[in-house]
Amino acid sequence: RAEYDDLRVEPAVVDITASFTLPVDPPEPTWYALLGSTIGNFAPGPASRLLARVARRMRAGDRFLMGADLRPGPSKSRQRLERAYNDGEGVTAAFNLHVLEVLNRELGSDFDPSSFRHYAMYVPGVERVEMHLVSTCRQTVSFPNGREVRFQEGETLRTEISCKYDRPSIDEIFGDAGLSVSHWEEDPRGYFALMLASCSG
């Protein structure tokens, strides 16, 4: 668009779970952002290590913006949260079952997606939603190297985690990463929050 004709995009394809470098040095000050609720795909320890890698790049005037999905509370029940991952239209189920098609394509396995069903649940204590694929029968899955994996009826294969946070848990993982939350903006319904942070050192 014309109003952004001086905008320069420098893409970088990297594994954010490991150390990485950017193709250019960003200007000062810089705002870093982790959008959506991507942080939910990391347990607290790996989440802190990811944020620490960002913090090590930040300078005194830089800021870090992040979104997080919140834990169940007064207006966000566990049941409501679980319904979001077990939607009536089956969109999430189709997404989850597609994992088996990817494994078959990439690893040469012979999963039969029709013999699994999608299931997601909130797990108190670890404060996360877990997505599973439940075997609907006794079956054996084969891989090209000759390895076989046997499933009992009702046995599950966990495919994804989505950790949920609140202000104390965010303060903890940010503090472990060397960041300090300066602003917290919460959705009025208690569904999600945005936080702005700077280096605590």
Side-chain angles (χ1 to χ4, degrees):
R1 294 172 58 96
E3 59 265 40
Y4 300 116
D5 58 358
D6 60 343
L7 178 65
R8 188 178 71 192
V9 177
E10 296 281 350
V13 179
V14 298
D15 178 358
I16 63 172
T17 66
S19 297
F20 60 87
T21 58
L22 297 177
V24 294
D25 289 326
E28 191 173 354
T30 293
W31 276 45
Y32 295 85
L34 189 60
L35 302 177
S37 56
T38 304
I39 196 65
N41 295 125
F42 298 87
S48 289
R49 291 192 288 275
L50 169 62
L51 299 181
R53 285 192 287 275
V54 177
R56 284 194 290 270
R57 293 195 60 89
M58 292 174 62
R59 297 153 298 194
D62 294 345
R63 296 293 181 268
F64 177 64
L65 177 69
M66 192 183 82
D69 201 14
L70 295 177
R71 294 174 178 175
S75 59
K76 183 183 184 181
S77 67
R78 172 179 172 176
Q79 292 74 21
R80 184 182 187 91
L81 180 59
E82 288 181 339
R83 282 199 305 271
Y85 289 84
N86 295 286
D87 60 281
E89 278 126 25
V91 174
T92 309
F95 171 81
N96 197 14
L97 286 162
H98 183 64
V99 168
L100 302 180
E101 297 175 16
V102 173
L103 289 173
N104 288 344
R105 184 179 68 241
E106 299 296 328
L107 301 181
S109 53
D110 62 355
F111 281 98
D112 176 8
S114 68
S115 65
F116 288 84
R117 63 177 176 84
H118 163 78
Y119 178 66
M121 60 187 171
Y122 183 73
V123 185
V126 290
E127 312 302 336
R128 69 190 186 195
V129 170
E130 293 186 358
M131 294 214 315
H132 290 252
L133 291 172
V134 184
S135 178
T136 59
C137 60
R138 293 181 62 183
Q139 57 182 304
T140 301
V141 177
S142 300
F143 291 81
N145 60 6
R147 183 175 181 184
E148 294 182 336
V149 179
R150 293 179 174 83
F151 290 89
Q152 298 297 319
E153 182 178 356
E155 189 173 358
T156 73
L157 173 65
R158 192 180 73 195
T159 55
E160 185 177 339
I161 65 169
S162 183
C163 296
K164 308 305 174 186
Y165 290 96
D166 56 13
R167 180 64 190 267
S169 58
I170 286 292
D171 284 339
E172 182 175 355
I173 66 168
F174 273 53
D176 289 345
L179 294 167
S180 177
V181 177
S182 58
H183 188 74
W184 174 276
E185 189 69 31
E186 191 169 314
D187 169 57
R189 300 167 297 179
Y191 291 177
F192 61 88
L194 286 173
M195 60 236 50
L196 189 64
S198 57
C199 288
S200 53

